Amino acid sequence: MNYRLHYFPESGNSYKLALMLTLCGQDFEPVWTDFGGGVTRTPEWRARVNVMGEIPVLEEGPQRLTQTAPILLRLAERHGQFGGRSDEEKFEILRWLFWDNHKLSGYMATYRYYRAFTPSPDPAVLAHMRRRLDDYLIILNGHLLERPFMIGDRPTIADISMMAYLSFPKREAGYDLAVSHPAVNAWLSRIAKLPGWRAPYDLLPGKRLTCYV
């Protein structure tokens, strides 16, 4: 399968797909997208690449796939890695994917972008989002105190989804997880030991957004 990944380097959702493909031993052609320049908001780009106006987009030959969670599920099934082995595991993976998209990744993506990549963020808005993230990280840390990976003793796409926005340099989101959430930090270290693992900016090269922190 010939894959092309439309991405920008700061996108944790792009990193999820880039890392999944890499861990599955799949090559992909990176297609850098000028997200900071507003290209994804133009009618031309939406008509040509993604009507939802979002990154990432994964091309499989003539098909363009969007929305990271269903793409991860598709890749797990196709390549026979990081998926569920039973109905119970498949349900747990789906449960955590939904939670991650609505809670952890959903808030961390917005908070980190607003905090690090906009010049004058409103402190009240940042404080509101930080309180929500603190709660989600408490939930995640408690869950990982009892198991090495999200659904048990091996990594799945639930881990690949949930670790992405937590894997960027800590100055961007301002969390020192080794201090504040040690079980989360230990889990990230276990994932980083997987054969083929690479950090976000190593997998996602190209022109970067201006970082203000």
Side-chain angles (χ1 to χ4, degrees):
M1 179 64 66
N2 295 321
Y3 292 112
R4 300 178 80 235
L5 179 64
H6 298 252
Y7 75 98
F8 66 98
E10 293 80 8
S11 166
N13 286 318
S14 297
Y15 178 50
K16 296 174 188 183
L17 299 186
L19 184 62
M20 177 63 175
L21 289 168
T22 301
L23 294 177
C24 290
Q26 302 298 309
D27 294 326
F28 63 92
E29 178 186 344
V31 182
W32 178 82
T33 302
D34 189 8
F35 180 84
V39 69
T40 62
R41 295 189 291 275
T42 64
E44 295 79 13
W45 189 89
R46 293 182 178 187
R48 181 174 55 86
V49 182
N50 182 4
V51 296
M52 293 180 174
E54 296 177 335
I55 288 292
V57 176
L58 184 66
E59 292 187 32
E60 296 181 346
Q63 283 190 293
R64 289 194 180 92
L65 305 178
T66 64
Q67 295 300 315
T68 309
I71 298 174
L72 287 172
L73 288 162
R74 182 184 179 106
L75 293 174
E77 182 176 359
R78 170 176 292 154
H79 298 296
Q81 298 186 61
F82 304 106
R85 294 173 179 169
S86 65
D87 287 342
E88 291 77 13
E89 286 190 352
K90 290 176 182 177
F91 180 85
E92 278 299 285
I93 288 172
L94 197 59
R95 188 169 76 100
W96 283 109
L97 286 176
F98 273 79
W99 185 84
D100 177 50
N101 279 250
H102 180 56
K103 304 285 190 175
L104 184 62
S105 281
Y107 269 81
M108 182 59 81
T110 305
Y111 172 77
R112 171 176 156 264
Y113 183 86
Y114 192 49
R115 178 183 186 274
F117 303 111
T118 58
S120 301
D122 185 329
V125 174
L126 285 176
H128 168 74
M129 289 191 285
R130 180 86 177 203
R131 285 192 296 272
R132 299 296 297 270
L133 279 168
D134 287 345
D135 187 36
Y136 305 148
L137 287 169
I138 288 171
I139 292 169
L140 180 60
N141 196 77
H143 184 74
L144 290 166
L145 285 171
E146 302 176 355
R147 53 190 60 78
F149 297 101
M150 288 307 301
I151 70 163
D153 61 359
R154 64 185 179 86
T156 66
I157 53 174
D159 299 274
I160 292 172
S161 182
M162 297 176 72
M163 64 88 219
Y165 278 98
L166 305 179
S167 299
F168 287 90
K170 64 183 180 182
R171 69 187 179 93
E172 294 180 1
Y175 279 96
D176 187 350
L177 295 172
V179 175
S180 60
H181 302 85
V184 172
N185 189 68
W187 164 71
L188 292 173
S189 296
R190 287 191 288 273
I191 294 172
K193 292 184 174 72
L194 295 176
W197 180 91
R198 295 174 65 191
Y201 291 137
D202 293 333
L203 270 182
L204 303 173
K207 183 181 177 183
R208 302 263 291 276
L209 299 173
T210 299
C211 185
Y212 296 93
V213 295

